[in-house]
Amino acid sequence: MRRRLLLFLVLMLPVVAALLAGIARAWRSGGQADPWSWALPAALVLALMGRILARSAGVLIVWIAVGVVGAILVFCAIAAGRWPDPLAAIGLALATPLAGIASMLLYDRQKRLLGAGLLALAALVIWRGPAQEIAPVADRPALAVMTALPLFWDEKGQGKQADAPIVTLLRTRFTIMPVDDARALAASGAGRLLLAQPRAMTPEQLVAVDRWVRDGGRAVVLADPLWRWPSALPLGDRRRAPSVSLLGPLLAHWGVVQGRMVAGETRHFLPDDTLVTLSDFARLGGCRGDGVMVTCAIGRGQAVVVGDADLIDDRLWLANPATPRDPRAWSADTPALVARWLGASIPGDRRWMRDQADVVLGLRWALILGTIWAVLGSLFLARHGQRDRQCNAKEQKMNIGWNRD
């Protein structure tokens, strides 16, 4: 009984440790339910167990690895409401037992070289397996940007260029052209426009935007009814972006109807499970859409309109501002979504922890699965160990008998 209890703890504790360490790592890095977030903690736990159990049978390490991987995949599936990415699941299932087996082999002098090779392979899988930085594409069409937001320059107007993280991402897909006057759109040659909380525009400038879209332009319009982007500039300073959208006449002309405002931060999932985080946004109607964003067909062009400009603030989609091109640091799909609205593509099919209830449910079922697997392992491996001891005892008796003869 004591041996089975000890086996249960040996099989269960690595599951709990790897699962909780991975959840903490995934939560800090943006909340993605990506098995790759658990790969390093799981490999370290298995490497430690391989060192502790170096003199034990290899089947014990394999059993622990299966329990760890199974619990992680169950958690990711339930927390995200969809199955994990198959390649990520395979990578986790490969790296985890490799780390444990390699650690065991390193303890054996005759097999250390093999153990080092397997450990290097596990490290390579963990390093190169996850999504890599977004690389620029060769063909980058022109994108005109009209905005009062601090996307290109130091907010205090000291002449220091400083791209916002969203601009850093968009530069990998577009040749960005800041435009101050809408009447210059036609001559710019740009076929795409990001119109994000601009300053007040004259009737002639509004007409120029309308004509540009009707002639075949593709626009993304971010019209915020209550701009919350943190700013060190005082209210009334001309360098600040307007606190409310000033595009009402243009949007009304396109048939966009502004509805009620939704206060606070909102994590919104689109029908394809793409995640965008908004802050104090206005619901929209009048064109085709889901109320958060609408798409209006205007002449030969189209405009995607969102009642929020805060969504491109990196605080709402980026966990680590130092690495905006690393999708593993994103906390929402905002850059990929904006690029898609503008007609480009940023690869990646990210899974997100949906809400607290799903995370708790996923953790509960992962621990239940881990417990069942540990109980089965304690029963099976205890009997397996007992048979091995009986066989060893018989061999020893036979050897003693032969020696007497």
Side-chain angles (χ1 to χ4, degrees):
M1 184 65 182
R2 180 179 297 178
R3 176 176 174 78
R4 289 180 178 177
L5 178 60
L6 180 60
L7 267 174
F8 172 79
L9 293 176
V10 167
L11 296 173
M12 186 63 192
L13 290 179
V15 173
V16 176
L19 188 62
L20 295 181
I23 290 175
R25 188 167 184 251
W27 200 260
R28 287 196 306 270
S29 62
Q32 297 186 38
D34 182 2
W36 287 118
S37 296
W38 279 261
L40 180 59
L44 291 176
V45 168
L46 263 293
L48 176 62
M49 296 306 299
R51 188 64 177 171
I52 295 174
L53 304 173
R55 296 183 179 277
S56 303
V59 66
L60 186 57
I61 285 295
V62 174
W63 198 281
I64 294 173
V66 171
V68 168
V69 172
I72 290 170
L73 294 181
V74 165
F75 171 82
C76 290
I78 296 176
R82 53 191 297 210
W83 290 107
D85 176 67
L87 291 179
I90 293 172
L92 176 69
L94 179 63
T96 302
L98 275 178
I101 294 171
S103 182
M104 290 187 71
L105 294 178
L106 288 174
Y107 191 79
D108 188 338
R109 291 184 178 180
Q110 297 180 349
K111 299 179 180 179
R112 281 182 179 175
L113 186 59
L114 176 60
L118 293 179
L119 192 61
L121 179 59
L124 181 64
V125 170
I126 295 172
W127 176 44
R128 298 300 299 176
Q132 303 300 308
E133 282 197 355
I134 304 297
V137 297
D139 183 17
R140 296 195 292 274
L143 168 63
V145 178
M146 291 187 61
T147 183
L149 302 176
L151 297 183
F152 299 102
W153 305 96
D154 181 81
E155 186 184 50
K156 296 183 179 180
Q158 296 175 351
K160 180 181 178 182
Q161 186 174 1
D163 281 353
I166 189 69
V167 174
T168 300
L169 262 298
L170 291 178
R171 286 193 190 277
T172 67
R173 294 299 181 269
F174 304 100
T175 300
I176 293 183
M177 305 168 52
V179 175
D180 294 326
D181 192 332
R183 290 170 293 189
L185 280 173
S188 70
R192 294 163 174 82
L193 169 66
L194 175 60
L195 188 60
Q197 202 75 351
R199 292 185 172 84
M201 302 171 68
T202 65
E204 291 79 8
Q205 290 173 324
L206 293 175
V207 169
V209 173
D210 178 69
R211 183 181 298 114
W212 179 86
V213 175
R214 291 182 185 278
D215 287 342
R218 184 169 191 156
V220 171
V221 181
L222 307 181
D224 202 320
L226 187 59
W227 182 59
R228 293 290 194 183
W229 199 311
S231 174
L233 299 174
L235 291 173
D237 193 304
R238 295 181 60 186
R239 293 170 294 179
R240 279 181 64 102
S243 298
V244 298
S245 173
L246 304 174
L247 296 173
L250 178 64
L251 299 182
H253 181 62
W254 287 347
V256 178
V257 178
Q258 181 174 321
R260 66 181 180 86
M261 195 180 80
V262 180
E265 290 187 11
T266 303
R267 297 175 81 239
H268 177 71
F269 286 91
L270 276 65
D272 62 354
D273 284 327
T274 302
L275 171 65
V276 61
T277 304
L278 307 106
S279 176
D280 296 311
F281 71 97
R283 300 195 67 86
L284 302 176
C287 295
R288 177 172 52 89
D290 61 358
V292 172
M293 52 81 63
V294 294
T295 303
C296 303
I298 304 162
R300 290 184 286 121
Q302 75 169 30
V304 175
V305 184
V306 184
D308 185 41
D310 292 311
L311 66 91
I312 59 174
D313 180 1
D314 57 280
R315 298 167 187 83
L316 295 185
W317 63 268
L318 185 60
N320 184 3
T323 57
R325 287 170 53 178
D326 186 354
R328 292 170 292 181
W330 296 2
S331 58
D333 287 308
T334 304
L337 190 58
V338 172
R340 189 172 77 191
W341 289 338
L342 290 166
S345 173
I346 292 180
D349 185 16
R350 287 158 288 277
R351 275 80 166 165
W352 303 96
M353 301 184 200
R354 299 190 72 89
D355 55 40
Q356 184 177 353
D358 290 323
V359 172
V360 172
L361 183 63
L363 180 59
R364 180 183 302 160
W365 278 106
L367 291 175
I368 289 174
L369 174 67
T371 301
I372 293 173
W373 188 250
V375 169
L376 292 175
S378 63
L379 296 175
F380 171 76
L381 294 174
R383 292 178 181 176
H384 181 75
Q386 186 176 1
R387 287 198 300 268
D388 288 345
R389 289 193 298 273
Q390 291 175 352
C391 291
N392 291 335
K394 290 181 180 179
E395 290 180 0
Q396 290 177 358
K397 289 181 180 180
M398 292 177 63
N399 291 332
I400 293 174
W402 281 105
N403 291 333
R404 288 177 177 176
D405 294 340

